[in-house]
Amino acid sequence: MKTSLIIILTLTTACAFIGSYFMELTADNIEQYLSVAFVVFADGFFGVWAGTKAEGFQTCKALKVLRTFGFWVVMLSAILTIEKGFTGTSWLSETIIAPFLVFQLISIFKNASMVGIVKNELLIQILDKLDKHKGERQ
């Protein structure tokens, strides 16, 4: 009985420590987490909308948004943990997360143009050359 209580208290303490560490990490870098969440969900919103217009709603494609969000939150957490643990690595989040955000913004514009929200012809020509895997506009 005493041994199981010690094990339970040890596990509870370890989980509380890890949880409080990531809560502080998230609170200190909330802007980075929010920017990742915003671009992933905005791209997902316009992507699902464009996909629904083109080929109908597909649940598996809509759920990819959650998988993408989960992956990038884990990546951002790992990068910020490395930055916090090792001096001189503060450049990591800018070099890894910033290109992801730029590509997500391009994808948002492409999906919004495929839905018909973006009407600028020059932007549409640029996006058609950059993001060819999404197909042609209808």
Side-chain angles (χ1 to χ4, degrees), residues 46-117:
F46 287 117
V48 168
W49 190 1
T52 302
K53 283 182 77 173
E55 56 197 29
F57 182 78
Q58 294 182 1
T59 306
C60 62
K61 288 188 178 183
L63 290 176
K64 282 184 181 180
V65 174
L66 297 176
R67 185 182 71 191
T68 302
F69 175 68
F71 172 77
W72 282 105
V73 165
V74 169
M75 283 297 296
L76 181 58
S77 298
I79 291 166
L80 291 174
T81 301
I82 292 168
E83 285 182 359
K84 191 173 182 178
F86 299 98
T87 55
T89 58
S90 60
W91 52 270
L92 272 176
S93 60
E94 288 89 7
T95 57
I96 295 173
I97 300 298
F100 161 73
L101 295 174
V102 169
F103 288 124
Q104 286 294 109
L105 287 172
I106 291 169
S107 182
I108 290 168
F109 282 128
K110 175 72 175 195
N111 289 333
S113 71
M114 292 184 83
V115 170
I117 294 175

Side-chain angles (χ1 to χ4, degrees), residues 32-52:
Q32 291 184 25
Y33 283 99
L34 286 176
S35 64
V36 167
F38 182 76
V39 296
V40 168
F41 288 122
D43 184 38
F45 173 76
F46 287 117
V48 168
W49 190 1
T52 302

